[in-house]
Amino acid sequence: QVQLVESGGGLVQAGGSLRLSCAASGIMFSISAVGWYRQAPGKQRELVATISSGGTTNYASSVKGRFTISRDNAKTTGYLQMNSLQPEDTAVYYCNVKMALTNYWGQGTQVTVSS
């Protein structure tokens, strides 16, 4: 059974930083792509960043240069380092792991940035 457990969300002031973690189990993590998505109230879920099994990264333009996605295959964990956070980054952040055309989702972690 695949499980994704997210952690690291919270309340931070504008300009601050947070690091989200996504611990995966029950999946061949090293050959999976990892992504982070977010959903703000009243808005659709949107892509934040992805990292392929080979380490290729992709970012939404709104976070490029501020957020960094990474992975540790030995720990079967994905990370999202978020710097220079702004109020518009406030959302529930979801971890996504994709393997063999199947998507798995975490439960989400709330990130709130105060101005």
Side-chain angles (χ1 to χ4, degrees):
Q1 182 180 359
V2 177
Q3 281 193 318
L4 303 178
V5 179
E6 297 147 347
S7 60
L11 173 64
V12 65
Q13 289 187 332
S17 298
L18 285 173
R19 188 175 83 152
L20 305 183
S21 298
C22 173
S25 60
I27 194 169
M28 296 179 68
F29 186 81
S30 62
I31 64 170
S32 302
V34 178
W36 289 93
Y37 293 72
R38 66 186 181 187
Q39 188 167 18
K43 295 187 177 181
Q44 289 188 329
R45 190 173 298 189
E46 64 176 359
L47 171 70
V48 175
T50 61
I51 183 167
S52 71
S53 58
T56 300
T57 59
N58 180 54
Y59 296 93
S61 57
S62 59
V63 307
K64 197 171 293 185
R66 300 188 298 124
F67 291 10
T68 302
I69 189 170
S70 62
R71 62 190 297 156
D72 185 333
N73 290 339
K75 296 182 178 179
T76 65
T77 300
Y79 303 97
L80 184 67
Q81 177 68 43
M82 305 185 293
N83 298 328
S84 303
L85 283 161
Q86 299 302 315
E88 52 266 35
D89 295 316
T90 294
V92 177
Y93 283 70
Y94 296 91
C95 172
N96 170 274
V97 175
K98 182 177 180 179
M99 188 185 75
L101 303 181
T102 300
N103 282 290
Y104 301 93
W105 294 91
Q107 81 284 0
T109 185
Q110 177 70 45
V111 171
T112 303
V113 185
S114 63
S115 58

